[in-house]
Amino acid sequence: INHIVHNGGLYKRPFNEAFEETPMLVAVLTYVGYGVLTLFGYLRDFMRQWKIEKCQNATEREEQKDFVPLYQDFENFYNRNLYMRIRDSWNRPICSVPGAKVDMMERVSHDYNWTFTYTGRVIKDIINMGSYNYLGFAQNAGACQEAAAKVLSQYGAGVCSTRQEMGNLDKHEELEKLVARFLGVESAMAYGMGFATNSMNIPALVGKGCLILSDELNHASLVLGARLSGATIRIFKHNNMQSLEKLLKDAIVHGQPRTRRPWKKILILVEGIYSMEGSIVRLPEVIALKKKYKSYLYLDEAHSIGALGPSGRGVVEYFGLSPEDVDVMMGTFTKSFGAAGGYIGGKKELIDYLRTYSHSAAYATSMSPPVVEQIITSVKCIMGEDGTTVGKARVQQLAENTRYFRRRLKEMGFIIYGNEDSPVVPLMLYMPAKIGAFGREMLKRNIGVVVVGFPATPIIESRARFCLSAAHTKEMLDTALKEINEVGDLLQLKYSRHRLVPLLDRPFDETTYEETED
Amino acid sequence: MNVGVAHSEVNPNTRVMNSRGMWLTYALGVGMLHIVLLSIPFFSVPVAWTLTNVIHNLGMYVFLHAVKGTPFETPDQGKARLLTHWEQVDYGVQFTSSRKFFTIAPIILYFLTSFYTKYDPTHFIFNTASLLTVLIPKLPQLHGVRIFGINKY
């Protein structure tokens, strides 16, 4: 059963999100796993201290042992005793373009992951389920690459200046006009780094005396930008509109903390797709709240631009809303466009203000010309202005891949988080040993996945995250699904009891657990 | 800030005691300890109960009130480095449900132990002393207090 909420006609299509609860036995076993690892960690630390075992992490020199400690021993406990054991699932060196298939350099470790040596062999054609390559533009051949190569021979690789000095190329102007047209906003500005777009522009928009309402699971760049700005930050529960409305009401009724003065600005920070949960923001409700309480909305579409919507214009088009309702539309070119950098789109006055006052504009080097050309070509391809239907085909292929992959994984019995339409698919692993085992088993079967554990996620919610791509053909997905099925049986990962939490009248938070125990 | 994590929680240690299944795991752990001690043929039932109580309180003291800081790096610039886990729970807010549970658990264990040792004086002294070592640090008045400078840095 999956009740679908229409919420007074705000949603034009069903909003299907599910976060199945952790089975109690699995939670208990996960804690037991962490407990055993902690006890063994203490034992190994004891042996290292008494020189029974060789100590391989950084320590001070003998003559410095009496000084104030340089390295915090206990803060490194998790790193030494848990992360080191499964470290080979991360930082894997790849040596080809990260498209649908990727080559990886094989490495082995003879001292339990403290050091790695390369065997010299290259593992070829690993199915890449980890790259943010949503529309498949991470290619080293094709129209985008040819255009970028031409621009490289014309403009060179470096710009050697900031936007405000000598680094404002005609290519940048062309890009910004194109991005504004793509998004449906008045004007846009592009920056060289997606992280820097958030962290350097939020301080330009809000300051002391303003209020930022940010989602629980916002990305580190948004958190950093919010903290740098000096505004008051209040956090609402993930995608929970009741929590957001309560915070808005409290803020407007009570004003600033001591002086009770009205807030200068209220800015709501949300993301289009949350990459660790695979959930999509409830944008119609956020916009309704924003209009009712007269606050501003900052939408970070890092993962959703190009990946959602019938023509790839992002989460605003997915819900059928108007881009004018979102005050600041931010996004990155790293994920769907196969390039690097970020943009901010909005009204002309806002973007002109940012051109003058943003730290990125004043101090950061502008984007490199071949990268700009890659973005221009890929955006034109998505919009269909290059004369082919390749862009539209890619967007449709991604949507089909998403639906197919999610449906098959749910049928197999895995617990999958997130919205039905999001191309980010987190598969729950829960136990710490399974994190390492899953990464290694999938690599043995020639599939590259990204796994995440504590403390990046809550302690019992470690997961493997698949990012689907338009470049994945159905055969690749079937191979991947077959291997995931095998590994799932081997590691006993099929926890789902098909008891999807029905979408109630209010969204999912910890108080809904009690009602669904039947 | 919050490097490498997918949430805006500054110190995940504060939420560990509230997570799903933690209380059950703790209760099962104590039960397991007791069964192991009961299985050793040299211990009579009162001795096994007293040992359970004492070992449980010793473990609780070490992990909640002696070990300071977090086993991973946090973006709070060291605010929690000098705090024990008990002081970190829920960011120092007193009388939350986790704090109440972990205060009541040793008391219940003490009641059971007193019953099964038939209120014998020697056992009583050991059990009460051990209960006090684990109850006094939990008092809100002792939040952040280090007696005689023990365990300060």
Side-chain angles (χ1 to χ4, degrees):
Chain A
I1 34 162
N2 210 341
H3 302 312
I4 295 153
V5 162
H6 283 283
N7 204 344
L10 278 176
Y11 288 88
K12 300 184 180 63
R13 53 193 295 170
F15 188 82
N16 258 339
E17 226 168 48
F19 298 94
E20 189 175 332
E21 204 180 60
T22 316
M24 192 52 101
L25 175 64
V26 174
V28 170
L29 287 175
T30 311
Y31 291 125
V32 169
Y34 277 110
V36 167
L37 281 168
T38 313
L39 288 173
F40 270 90
Y42 278 118
L43 174 70
R44 298 287 288 272
D45 278 349
F46 176 76
M47 290 189 351
R48 276 184 209 121
Q49 194 180 13
W50 286 90
K51 308 277 190 287
I52 305 174
E53 186 188 338
K54 190 167 82 139
C55 180
Q56 280 163 326
N57 50 329
T59 47
E60 293 126 324
R61 299 200 305 259
E62 275 308 315
E63 50 269 21
Q64 285 179 325
K65 283 264 158 63
D66 288 329
F67 294 1
V68 173
L70 194 59
Y71 302 106
Q72 271 289 346
D73 252 344
F74 190 52
E75 271 190 350
N76 226 357
F77 182 88
Y78 184 84
N79 198 24
R80 275 199 303 274
N81 296 312
L82 274 80
Y83 178 67
M84 279 296 169
R85 290 172 187 263
I86 47 176
R87 197 159 79 109
D88 56 325
S89 301
W90 291 283
N91 295 332
R92 289 181 181 151
I94 59 175
C95 49
S96 77
V97 68
K101 289 202 172 172
V102 70
D103 301 337
M104 206 178 279
M105 300 192 60
E106 194 187 22
R107 48 180 193 170
V108 288
S109 175
H110 300 289
D111 50 0
Y112 300 102
N113 288 348
W114 284 95
T115 56
F116 290 106
T117 47
Y118 294 109
T119 59
R121 196 170 80 93
V122 171
I123 313 177
K124 289 208 162 288
D125 288 337
I126 295 178
I127 299 181
N128 186 358
M129 305 292 296
S131 288
Y132 305 133
N133 184 16
Y134 297 129
L135 291 179
F137 279 111
Q139 295 163 310
N140 55 358
C144 295
Q145 182 265 342
E146 284 161 23
K150 221 159 54 138
V151 166
L152 177 64
S153 51
Q154 188 186 354
Y155 286 89
V159 185
C160 305
S161 183
T162 66
R163 288 297 293 275
Q164 285 185 355
E165 295 170 6
M166 284 283 259
N168 196 15
L169 304 176
D170 56 346
K171 280 280 161 209
H172 294 131
E173 304 273 329
E174 189 190 333
L175 170 68
E176 288 173 359
K177 288 199 182 63
L178 184 62
V179 166
R181 210 154 41 88
F182 178 68
L183 296 171
V185 291
E186 279 180 28
S187 166
M189 181 166 179
Y191 304 93
M193 187 177 157
F195 188 100
T197 311
N198 271 334
S199 50
M200 297 292 114
N201 283 311
I202 298 180
L205 294 172
V206 288
K208 205 153 166 306
C210 304
L211 176 66
I212 291 183
L213 298 173
S214 114
D215 190 291
E216 219 175 5
L217 299 177
N218 266 341
H219 190 250
S221 56
L222 291 164
V223 172
L224 179 60
R227 287 191 195 162
L228 280 177
S229 68
T232 312
I233 308 174
R234 304 233 168 110
I235 298 178
F236 62 93
K237 295 212 189 331
H238 177 60
N239 232 3
N240 188 331
M241 296 299 118
Q242 276 69 23
S243 174
L244 176 59
E245 181 160 19
K246 184 173 184 305
L247 282 181
L248 276 166
K249 277 190 190 157
D250 285 343
I252 293 180
V253 165
H254 297 296
Q256 298 189 25
R258 266 181 314 111
T259 57
R260 302 287 176 138
R261 289 204 195 122
W263 295 101
K264 285 193 207 152
K265 255 181 268 195
I266 301 184
L267 184 67
I268 306 176
L269 292 181
V270 285
E271 290 189 35
I273 291 183
Y274 291 90
S275 67
M276 214 38 94
E277 301 279 308
S279 52
I280 300 181
V281 67
R282 291 172 187 266
L283 197 59
E285 292 177 61
V286 174
I287 289 185
L289 279 174
K290 169 196 102 100
K291 285 184 182 158
K292 180 175 172 186
Y293 293 101
K294 297 195 181 52
S295 48
Y296 296 107
L297 179 60
Y298 185 107
L299 178 66
D300 178 346
E301 284 202 272
H303 287 268
S304 55
I305 190 75
L308 284 183
S311 64
R313 313 260 163 144
V315 71
V316 173
E317 195 198 16
Y318 173 75
F319 285 112
L321 301 164
S322 154
E324 288 171 358
D325 289 331
V326 179
D327 302 292
V328 189
M329 284 183 73
M330 178 264 172
T332 58
F333 298 120
T334 336
K335 321 294 190 313
S336 301
F337 302 102
Y343 65 84
I344 288 197
K347 294 254 178 321
K348 190 166 179 319
E349 295 88 27
L350 171 71
I351 303 298
D352 285 343
Y353 174 81
L354 283 178
R355 276 187 222 279
T356 328
Y357 285 99
S358 159
H359 286 217
S360 292
Y363 299 109
T365 319
S366 34
M367 288 172 86
S368 173
V371 172
V372 174
E373 185 58 34
Q374 156 83 19
I375 303 169
I376 292 177
T377 325
S378 58
V379 169
K380 283 197 177 139
C381 177
I382 297 175
M383 292 207 291
E385 285 180 10
D386 60 342
T388 66
T389 51
V390 167
K392 205 161 165 29
R394 284 182 197 232
V395 174
Q396 273 171 349
Q397 178 73 26
L398 177 65
E400 275 174 33
N401 283 354
T402 309
R403 271 195 295 268
Y404 178 64
F405 196 74
R406 276 179 172 266
R407 189 172 54 84
R408 284 288 304 274
L409 280 179
K410 284 215 178 87
E411 281 168 14
M412 285 180 199
F414 293 102
I415 295 188
I416 308 286
Y417 273 13
N419 196 305
E420 287 288 316
D421 290 317
S422 106
V424 177
V425 186
L427 186 147
M428 303 309 288
L429 299 172
Y430 297 117
M431 295 175 204
K434 294 193 185 181
I435 305 173
F438 192 78
R440 287 175 195 154
E441 286 292 321
M442 294 305 280
L443 187 60
K444 264 194 235 164
R445 291 165 169 72
N446 254 15
I447 302 182
V449 296
V450 170
V451 289
V452 248
F454 184 71
T457 57
I459 188 168
I460 44 170
E461 287 175 22
S462 355
R463 58 199 75 176
R465 185 184 64 181
F466 300 107
C467 290
L468 296 168
S469 163
H472 286 137
T473 60
K474 194 156 179 301
E475 291 75 36
M476 280 188 226
L477 286 186
D478 284 333
T479 322
L481 283 163
K482 187 169 78 70
E483 305 295 353
I484 296 172
N485 201 4
E486 261 180 49
V487 174
D489 283 327
L490 179 69
L491 295 177
Q492 294 189 7
L493 290 171
K494 299 191 178 176
Y495 300 119
S496 177
R497 288 179 258 180
H498 292 286
R499 251 188 356 170
L500 295 175
V501 178
L503 275 181
L504 310 166
D505 292 336
R506 54 192 167 76
F508 192 86
D509 60 50
E510 67 262 21
T511 64
T512 60
Y513 289 162
E514 286 94 293
E515 299 175 47
T516 57
E517 295 296 306
D518 57 332
Chain B
M1 298 282 166
N2 284 55
V3 179
V5 298
H7 51 77
S8 47
E9 184 76 67
V10 168
N11 186 358
N13 241 359
T14 56
R15 299 270 168 249
V16 160
M17 290 297 168
N18 300 339
S19 346
R20 181 175 159 78
M22 177 56 100
W23 295 3
L24 178 64
T25 312
Y26 166 80
L28 287 175
V30 174
M32 193 57 137
L33 169 70
H34 185 60
I35 288 178
V36 165
L37 285 172
L38 273 180
S39 328
I40 301 176
F42 306 111
F43 299 146
S44 62
V45 171
V47 170
W49 273 99
T50 304
L51 271 179
T52 308
N53 193 25
V54 168
I55 293 177
H56 162 263
N57 289 346
L58 193 64
M60 186 179 249
Y61 182 80
V62 166
F63 284 109
L64 286 188
H65 301 289
V67 168
K68 294 194 303 290
T70 52
F72 34 79
E73 286 178 18
T74 49
D76 62 352
Q77 296 176 327
K79 285 200 187 93
R81 236 174 246 159
L82 295 177
L83 296 178
T84 61
H85 193 192
W86 180 256
E87 287 159 1
Q88 284 173 39
V89 167
D90 290 326
Y91 292 106
V93 173
Q94 298 295 332
F95 308 120
T96 60
S97 7
S98 287
R99 283 178 187 246
K100 285 183 206 163
F101 177 78
F102 284 102
T103 314
I104 292 173
I107 297 175
I108 293 191
L109 194 58
Y110 176 73
F111 286 158
L112 287 168
T113 310
S114 307
F115 174 73
Y116 280 104
T117 60
K118 300 184 177 36
Y119 308 101
D120 178 72
T122 334
H123 285 265
F124 170 76
I125 293 175
F126 278 115
N127 287 326
T128 314
S130 139
L131 178 72
L132 284 175
T133 65
V134 117
L135 274 194
I136 291 178
K138 294 191 163 71
L139 291 172
Q141 288 74 14
L142 279 155
H143 182 92
V145 170
R146 305 274 183 263
I147 305 175
F148 297 132
I150 302 173
N151 209 15
K152 193 163 182 197
Y153 294 116

